[in-house]
Amino acid sequence: MRSEEETNQAVERYGDTVRRLCMIHLKNEADTQDIFQTVFLKYLLHDKPFESGEHEKAWFIRVTLNACKDLLRSFFSRNTVPLEQLTGQADQLTGQGREVLATVLALPQKERQVVYLHYYEGYTAPELSRLLGKNVNTIYTTLARARAHLRETLGGEDHG
Amino acid sequence: MDEQIREVFGQLHAGEAMKENTKAALDRARNRRRRPVGYLAVAAACLVLLLAGLGGYRYYFTPTTYLSVDINPSLELGVNRFDKVVSVRAWNEDGQELVDSLELNLLDYQEALERLVASESIADRLAAGELLSITVAGENEAQCGRLLAGAEACTAGQENVRCHQGDVEELEQAHHAGLSLGKYQAFLELQALDPTVTAEDVAGLTMRQIRDWIGSLSQDADSQGKGNGQGHHGEESHGYRFGQS
């Protein structure tokens, strides 16, 4: 079991990443809080050492995505929340920011995930392929589709 | 577009409340995980205390030596290794009455004997010339010797008191026969002289009566030849038995 110092550091270091991943999957504050705690509880009990900070971060991403998927699998049909209710989770954003976020969140789930991990976390397609356990070509395709969808709404050029 | 996306996500953070709630949940989980060990330790400590308590109770309340007190009230004091009375058992009705009238538990054995000898029931009988027999039996010879000497010392002023030592085997046989040890020893002496005597015959007799019976039988045996003495003292003994009991 990890010490209080370790878990507190992890909450500070990876809290934002976990929160954002939850948001692009869950769209609901209560579920986000649940998954957020679940992920760090798993970390508390995960005794194996990590090879590096990158390794640790990848572990958090994988665990968060799996936890979200588990939750969606059991609650999806009953608990889908309309996009409009999302505002509660994005209070920090300005008007334009909200529009961008709404656009990203309107993408199919697979695309949302790679958009966040690629654009924000900076993972390349081969890295995403390892992280998500998918074929690298599938990742390229998903990314391309996501870009096309985003461009339709947001316009402008992308550099990814 | 890339920049916009980065900017938007960069503005989203895990709220302080969410982080604090999670830290608190982690603390709770950490303590919950630890508690079973705590419970186990407490349970183990309780068990040790319980066993120690039971062991101590047994150690203290197990008699190691028995004092058989017979006059006609017959009773037996169980004495623990610290020379304290931990059990009192009456062997006949008179004995039960006497036991009920006195509080002997946890007294030092000498004090218990003094109280018994001073009790009305025994004092009156001693004054009337009855015999009081105190018999000590136990596995620990040192304690038996000590208790015998103690019993002799605290009854030294009494003329009609006899102190004897017995052994554990005899004690068990006595209990099997339904007699207290003191009476059983006298019964054995009597039976050696007259094999027809049974334990029931002596159960209701006082120690004086048994002693007198033994006395009369041995006198007969001394004064008459073995060949023709048999029928006579057998007859007399029966006469005595039915006359007195």
Side-chain angles (χ1 to χ4, degrees):
Chain A
M1 197 181 305
R2 291 180 187 272
S3 69
E4 190 177 350
E5 196 189 346
E6 272 180 299
T7 53
N8 284 353
Q9 271 178 7
V11 169
E12 293 303 334
R13 197 175 299 149
Y14 301 109
D16 289 350
T17 303
V18 173
R19 159 84 162 94
R20 290 172 196 136
L21 284 167
C22 286
M23 198 182 71
I24 55 178
H25 286 88
L26 303 175
K27 306 180 179 179
N28 165 333
E29 188 68 24
D31 288 349
T32 297
Q33 178 81 53
D34 277 357
I35 298 297
F36 194 85
Q37 288 193 4
T38 304
V39 169
F40 287 101
L41 282 170
K42 283 191 173 154
Y43 178 73
L44 174 76
L45 302 174
H46 182 88
D47 284 330
K48 285 184 202 151
F50 293 104
E51 291 159 17
S52 61
E54 278 307 304
H55 182 211
E56 192 173 51
K57 184 174 181 177
W59 182 89
F60 270 100
I61 291 172
R62 262 199 311 273
V63 168
T64 308
L65 293 179
N66 287 336
C68 289
K69 273 185 218 157
D70 286 347
L71 188 86
L72 290 173
R73 216 172 283 151
S74 50
F75 282 88
F76 185 73
S77 54
R78 288 181 283 158
N79 282 19
T80 39
V81 176
L83 210 57
E84 295 79 59
Q85 287 188 14
L86 194 138
T87 45
Q89 286 201 73
D91 287 342
Q92 299 125 314
L93 299 181
T94 57
Q96 201 199 355
R98 257 181 222 198
E99 197 191 320
V100 173
L101 184 66
T103 309
V104 173
L105 296 179
L107 295 173
Q109 199 211 85
K110 279 180 196 167
E111 293 178 21
R112 264 183 265 158
Q113 193 170 286
V114 293
V115 164
Y116 170 70
L117 293 172
H118 173 71
Y119 285 97
Y120 186 80
E121 297 291 353
Y123 285 99
T124 63
E127 282 169 344
L128 284 176
S129 136
R130 281 194 295 278
L131 183 66
L132 303 174
K134 299 225 164 96
N135 188 301
V136 69
N137 289 326
T138 311
I139 301 289
Y140 279 124
T141 314
T142 313
L143 264 175
R145 272 196 204 132
R147 267 189 219 117
H149 282 136
L150 289 171
R151 215 176 293 130
E152 274 173 31
T153 320
L154 300 175
E157 291 299 309
D158 70 82
H159 310 284
Chain B
M1 190 178 78
D2 303 18
E3 194 52 46
Q4 280 179 306
I5 293 173
R6 263 195 291 277
E7 210 175 291
V8 163
F9 280 118
Q11 286 169 26
L12 294 171
H13 301 286
E16 281 309 309
M18 188 181 275
K19 288 188 201 170
E20 289 312 313
N21 285 344
T22 301
K23 286 176 188 172
L26 290 171
D27 268 350
R28 284 196 298 276
R30 200 176 277 116
N31 291 334
R32 245 198 325 273
R33 295 254 156 192
R34 276 186 195 143
R35 214 173 299 151
V37 179
Y39 279 143
L40 214 63
V42 170
C46 285
L47 193 70
V48 167
L49 280 177
L50 186 73
L51 290 177
L54 286 176
Y57 183 87
R58 253 185 86 103
Y59 187 77
Y60 192 86
F61 286 96
T62 302
T64 52
T65 302
Y66 292 88
L67 289 174
S68 175
V69 179
D70 301 275
I71 178 160
N72 184 33
S74 275
L75 53 93
E76 212 166 75
L77 305 178
V79 178
N80 72 5
R81 62 198 77 228
F82 305 108
D83 296 352
K84 302 282 182 214
V85 176
V86 288
S87 71
V88 183
R89 180 172 175 183
W91 282 95
N92 54 22
E93 277 178 31
D94 290 347
Q96 190 59 51
E97 270 174 42
L98 183 58
V99 167
D100 292 343
S101 69
L102 292 172
E103 186 47 66
L104 302 174
N105 262 321
L106 300 182
L107 288 183
D108 186 79
Y109 77 100
Q110 278 187 307
E111 200 183 337
L113 285 179
E114 277 165 15
R115 282 199 194 183
L116 277 171
V117 172
S119 72
E120 207 178 313
S121 166
I122 290 183
D124 287 355
R125 285 178 168 86
L126 281 175
E130 295 284 358
L131 266 180
L132 173 66
S133 146
I134 297 174
T135 315
V136 183
E139 275 173 3
N140 183 336
E141 280 183 27
Q143 193 187 22
C144 286
R146 186 169 71 236
L147 261 57
L148 184 62
E152 277 167 351
C154 75
T155 55
Q158 302 284 346
E159 219 177 289
N160 293 328
V161 179
R162 302 283 179 274
C163 298
H164 321 269
Q165 185 154 1
D167 58 51
V168 182
E169 209 175 308
E170 235 175 10
L171 183 74
E172 281 168 12
Q173 287 166 356
H175 289 175
H176 191 69
L179 295 174
S180 63
L181 180 58
K183 214 170 240 189
Y184 184 72
Q185 281 189 331
F187 161 70
L188 287 180
E189 273 182 58
L190 187 59
Q191 208 183 31
L193 295 166
D194 181 355
T196 62
V197 178
T198 63
E200 287 92 62
D201 293 334
V202 298
L205 301 185
T206 65
M207 288 308 285
R208 169 64 80 191
Q209 287 168 333
I210 300 173
R211 283 281 150 213
D212 287 350
W213 193 354
I214 291 169
S216 69
L217 285 179
S218 30
Q219 231 171 13
D220 285 351
D222 287 346
S223 60
Q224 303 199 5
K226 277 189 179 178
N228 59 4
Q230 189 69 37
H232 179 70
H233 75 233
E235 202 178 279
E236 195 183 58
S237 70
H238 277 86
Y240 187 90
R241 194 185 314 164
F242 296 124
Q244 297 291 320
S245 55

